[in-house]
C-alpha cells in the first residue's frame, strides 16, 4: 500500500510518498530466485548475468530489493525489458518493493539518458519516492 503525505511548501501542495519497506526474508527469497535466472559474473561476483547479455546487481538494502545496476550488452533488442519483467514478477511473487536510482550507465552513443531510463522504469510501475523527477530514488511496490 502506498502512503501519501501532503506537505505545504511555499504555498504549493506537494505530494510525498513514504518509502515502502518489505520483509527482509522475502527479499532474500526473491534474490535467490533472481540468481537462478542466470550465473554470477566471474569478473564481478556482485553481478548476475541473465540471458547471456543482461547484467544486474541487486541486494537486500534498506528493507527493499535494491538495484545497483541493470545493463544490457545488446541494447535495443528487448533483453533488458524481458529480464526486468522476470524480476518484477519475482518481486510480486514475494511481495517485495524494488528500489533504484535511475543513473545512466557507461559512456558513448549507446548510453541511455536519464530521461530514457526513467521512462523505461516507469513502464514497470516505478515512481519517484519524493514525487520529483529531478532527484531521488525510484520505487516499485508489489502489485
Amino acid at each position: 500500500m502506498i502512503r501519501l503525505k501532503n506537505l505545504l511548501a511555499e504555498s504549493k501542495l506537494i505530494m510525498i510518498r513514504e518509502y515502502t519497506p518489505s520483509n527482509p526474508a522475502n527479499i532474500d527469497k526473491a534474490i535467490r530466485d533472481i540468481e537462478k535466472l542466470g550465473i554470477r559474473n566471474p569478473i564481478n561476483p556482485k553481478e548476475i548475468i541473465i540471458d547471456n547479455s543482461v547484467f544486474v546487481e541487486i541486494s537486500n538494502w534498506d528493507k527493499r530489493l535494491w538495484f545497483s545496476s541493470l545493463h544490457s550488452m545488446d541494447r535495443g533488442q528487448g533483453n533488458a525489458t524481458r529480464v526486468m519483467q522476470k524480476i518484477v514478477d519475482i518481486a510480486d511473487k514475494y511481495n517485495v518493493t524494488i528500489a533504484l536510482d535511475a543513473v545512466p550507465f557507461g559512456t558513448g552513443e549507446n548510453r541511455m539518458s536519464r530521461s530514457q531510463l526513467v521512462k523505461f522504469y516507469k513502464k514497470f510501475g516505478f515512481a519517484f519516492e519524493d514525487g520529483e523527477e529531478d532527484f531521488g530514488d525510484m520505487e516499485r511496490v508489489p502489485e
Side-chain angles (χ1 to χ4, degrees):
M1 182 170 125
I2 299 174
R3 297 173 302 243
L4 298 177
K5 283 186 181 178
N6 292 332
L7 296 179
L8 192 57
E10 298 178 24
S11 302
K12 290 190 331 188
L13 185 64
I14 301 172
M15 299 299 284
I16 300 291
R17 215 174 77 218
E18 294 178 355
Y19 107 89
T20 311
S22 297
N23 179 325
N26 287 353
I27 297 168
D28 289 338
K29 290 175 187 175
I31 289 172
R32 282 193 294 276
D33 277 11
I34 293 166
E35 288 173 336
K36 292 176 187 175
L37 296 175
I39 61 168
R40 287 284 173 181
N41 182 347
I43 298 168
N44 179 2
K46 292 180 180 179
E47 288 182 328
I48 303 165
I49 304 170
I50 303 172
D51 295 343
N52 296 318
S53 65
V54 179
F55 295 72
V56 296
E57 188 174 328
I58 55 174
S59 60
N60 182 342
W61 186 74
D62 201 21
K63 295 186 179 177
R64 297 179 289 178
L65 177 63
W66 184 263
F67 262 80
S68 297
S69 66
L70 171 72
H71 174 71
S72 177
M73 296 299 291
D74 301 318
R75 186 161 177 243
Q77 304 298 309
N79 297 330
T81 298
R82 283 188 291 280
V83 167
M84 193 65 187
Q85 187 60 58
K86 291 176 186 179
I87 291 170
V88 163
D89 291 344
I90 290 170
D92 286 349
K93 173 182 171 183
Y94 291 104
N95 197 34
V96 168
T97 298
I98 306 172
L100 56 87
D101 190 7
V103 176
F105 178 83
T107 59
E109 63 186 50
N110 287 334
R111 178 180 180 218
M112 291 179 79
S113 68
R114 185 163 193 282
S115 63
Q116 289 172 313
L117 282 173
V118 168
K119 183 178 177 182
F120 173 79
Y121 289 120
K122 281 185 173 184
K123 289 190 310 187
F124 296 98
F126 284 84
F128 283 91
E129 289 178 7
D130 57 17
E132 295 289 328
E133 291 194 18
D134 293 339
F135 57 91
D137 299 337
M138 294 186 80
E139 179 181 79
R140 182 192 180 276
V141 294
E143 294 181 359

